[in-house]
Amino acid sequence: MPTAIIVIESGAIQLSHTAKNTIIADPQIVDHHSYGQTGLALRLTEFFTDMYVRKSYMILQQLQGPDHVVILGDLMDGGREWDDLQWLDELRRFQTLFRNRDPRNRRVHIMAGNHDIGIGNTVVDAALARFRLHVGATNQLLDVAGHRLVLLDTLTLESDSAHVNASSRALVERLRAEREPRAPRVLFSHVPLRRPPHTDCGPLRQSLEPVPDRRGYQFRDQLQANTTAYVLNAIMPQVVFSGDDHDTCTVAHTLSNGRSAVEHTIGAFGWASGVPIASYALLALQADPLELALQHCFLPYQLGIYKCYAAAFVCSLLVAAACCRRRSEDCCGAEPGLIAALPPRKPQAAGPHCIKRVALVMRDVAAVAVPTYIACILYFYIV
């Protein structure tokens, strides 16, 4: 297996005076590894989660117009488990959802996540080689608007195998050797850096718990303490971005020179990732003068939208049933001019006739709502 080359980009786009950058974490498109679903249940889950991601990414590009997009890894949920044919099918699905609509002016940089290749001594060699072949190098160095973006594969960096960690260590040592960095460094890591236990994550976090420190099959919530110290003190970043946790977190790290570097963990981009509201981040870079600005952005609360659909359906049923129960002709369809001419009628108990009227009302509602909903779905799949 050949060692991946570190990608270094220094083109006209990267050296412009300003750059808008979008940071996306953990798309982790749903498959049968996610919830153990099969058949129709899996197809429906994939359909609705894919539609949300595709729609969100399309509108993000239209509204924000980023120059660069950095995806922090975990492209698929079961990526490291797939055979090559299945993985390529899932990669095509991912590329359809994250289609670059302006490839001439927008660069997309994709990192590997533990769901893609594993982590540390459990990195899957075949999955790593496949990722490098079909997606790109797992370590990248980019010059963007007077800043140096360091996309570091910390997953392989934690491996004890030299053939696995070679390119990651080479990048860190290359940056350590630059005694006077030519530009402020912005570090990107899939896994969050180590922090003291119970460190507060700030007000944007949706969970009440801090970033945990667990280890399990092919995952680690935080990098090891020695890896964290090695990376921070060798690279000396101005700011750090990470993913994997699926929720937002902001924490400061102290560097060996006494300066601090703030780490921003970005929330997951999908709505089925264990946090209520999906999110991403916008990073604005400016070369003259050197400036950096960050904004966390939150996507629509998809489960809340579905709850509103359900509530609207129940309310429609209740209103239709109440109208029929009152047996008033104006609610049940009689023409207003004929009401006075109709003889008085004895109240009748609600029964099958009223149920039929409710069904007719709901049929009329569905005749408008369902085609409209389908048309909206088709729009986002065709555009």
Side-chain angles (χ1 to χ4, degrees):
M1 182 183 67
T3 301
I5 299 173
I6 300 170
V7 172
I8 302 175
E9 293 189 8
S10 296
I13 296 177
Q14 286 72 29
L15 298 178
S16 60
H17 289 293
T18 61
K20 294 187 290 183
N21 309 275
T22 295
I23 306 172
I24 292 174
D26 306 287
Q28 211 162 314
I29 58 175
V30 173
D31 54 44
H32 78 261
H33 292 280
S34 304
Y35 306 109
Q37 296 173 316
T38 58
L40 181 60
L42 175 61
R43 294 290 173 260
L44 288 174
T45 302
E46 288 179 347
F47 177 79
F48 285 105
T49 54
D50 284 6
M51 180 173 62
Y52 180 87
V53 168
R54 181 189 179 108
K55 177 173 58 177
S56 298
Y57 190 60
M58 181 186 75
I59 295 177
L60 181 157
Q61 293 179 85
Q62 292 175 347
L63 296 182
Q64 308 294 357
D67 303 304
H68 296 265
V69 176
V70 178
I71 299 179
L72 293 173
D74 278 358
L75 315 187
M76 314 163 193
D77 206 355
R80 61 177 178 255
E81 312 293 346
W82 296 110
D83 63 36
D84 288 347
L85 289 178
Q86 292 173 315
W87 186 85
L88 286 171
D89 285 341
E90 291 297 293
L91 179 62
R92 283 189 286 269
R93 177 182 161 207
F94 172 86
Q95 291 169 337
T96 299
L97 300 179
F98 286 89
R99 179 163 68 90
N100 184 357
R101 295 172 180 271
D102 189 9
R104 294 184 60 184
N105 300 304
R106 180 174 302 123
R107 301 286 183 87
V108 179
H109 313 281
I110 301 178
M111 301 178 65
N114 58 296
H115 281 263
D116 302 312
I117 64 171
I119 184 171
N121 291 329
T122 61
V123 166
V124 181
D125 286 351
L128 175 59
R130 182 174 61 193
F131 190 95
R132 287 170 170 170
L133 176 63
H134 293 283
V135 179
T138 54
N139 290 288
Q140 301 180 50
L141 200 58
L142 315 172
D143 290 322
V144 179
H147 293 73
R148 175 151 277 197
L149 275 54
V150 182
L151 279 59
L152 179 62
D153 178 7
T154 51
L155 306 172
T156 59
L157 187 65
E158 291 214 322
S159 173
D160 295 328
S161 174
H163 81 275
V164 172
N165 66 35
S167 65
S168 300
R169 288 195 174 274
L171 177 57
V172 175
E173 292 303 322
R174 174 195 176 110
L175 295 171
R176 184 206 292 272
E178 295 180 7
R179 295 190 176 182
E180 294 187 9
R182 66 181 192 178
R185 294 168 177 171
V186 180
L187 174 63
F188 296 83
S189 166
H190 174 69
V191 177
L193 306 182
R194 178 64 62 91
R195 71 284 314 277
H198 313 295
T199 299
D200 181 66
C201 279
L204 295 180
R205 188 170 181 82
Q206 299 175 60
S207 170
L208 298 178
E209 301 296 327
V211 174
D213 186 15
R214 303 165 301 177
R215 297 183 184 185
Y217 173 68
Q218 294 285 19
F219 84 89
R220 188 174 296 158
D221 291 320
Q222 301 177 31
L223 295 179
Q224 298 182 47
N226 59 340
T227 304
T228 297
Y230 171 60
V231 168
L232 287 176
N233 295 325
I235 297 178
M236 293 290 181
Q238 180 181 6
V239 64
V240 181
F241 295 97
S242 59
D244 189 64
D245 182 63
H246 293 190
D247 204 349
T248 306
C249 184
T250 302
V251 61
H253 300 279
T254 302
L255 307 181
S256 59
N257 62 2
R259 188 170 56 81
S260 65
V262 177
E263 177 183 357
H264 300 275
T265 301
I266 310 302
F269 196 71
W271 65 270
S273 300
V275 293
I277 303 176
S279 62
Y280 64 97
L282 292 176
L283 174 66
L285 300 176
Q286 182 170 299
D288 187 18
L290 282 172
E291 289 184 358
L292 178 154
L294 176 70
Q295 181 178 0
H296 290 276
C297 304
F298 292 87
L299 297 171
Y301 177 29
Q302 187 63 48
L303 284 177
I305 293 172
Y306 289 149
K307 290 175 183 177
C308 288
Y309 290 164
F313 177 75
V314 172
C315 289
S316 298
L317 279 176
L318 293 176
V319 169
C323 288
C324 290
R325 187 173 181 84
R326 288 175 57 189
R327 310 286 293 169
S328 60
E329 285 77 1
D330 58 336
C331 284
C332 294
E335 296 182 15
L338 299 177
I339 294 177
L342 293 175
R345 299 169 61 185
K346 294 181 179 180
Q348 298 180 8
H353 188 61
C354 189
I355 294 175
K356 183 178 179 180
R357 284 179 172 169
V358 172
L360 291 174
V361 171
M362 297 308 297
R363 182 200 64 185
D364 294 340
V365 172
V368 176
V370 172
T372 302
Y373 185 68
I374 292 174
C376 291
I377 291 175
L378 291 175
Y379 170 78
F380 286 113
Y381 270 87
I382 292 173
V383 173

